[in-house]
Amino acid sequence: MFATYLVVTLLASALNGSAAAANLIGHEYPKTEADRNRVPRSWVRPLGVLLGAGALGLLAGFVVPVLGTLAAAGLVLYFLGALGVHVRAGNFRLGAWALFFIVALAALTVSLAYHR
């Protein structure tokens, strides 16, 4: 079980960490997505900070398990909010969203199962 927990958590952390980096450095992809979803570009960096906090929280969960579980739950809530924003904007290009959501949900699931 530990191997599954380790792999899923590291994958979720790497995926969200790379998205956070893209947001924080001002990469064009997050800006385009913000425009497509009618989100002000001024929100891109703060949203990147949230993603980065989630990625770091997942890693912190190896030392303090409750932090990892809370970080995974926070990422699940973040991506549920993102789904609402996509739907509100009429943007049904949900491939990337689904990948991020499924990985965050998997991280939460394995964290809850492993730390039982």
Side-chain angles (χ1 to χ4, degrees), residues 37-85:
N37 290 311
R38 297 191 303 240
V39 172
R41 282 189 174 202
S42 62
W43 288 17
V44 171
R45 283 206 171 96
L47 292 172
V49 169
L50 291 176
L51 288 169
L56 291 174
L58 289 172
L59 295 177
F62 290 120
V63 179
V64 183
V66 71
L67 290 179
T69 303
L70 291 172
L75 287 169
V76 167
L77 292 173
Y78 176 97
F79 289 111
L80 286 174
L83 176 62
V85 169

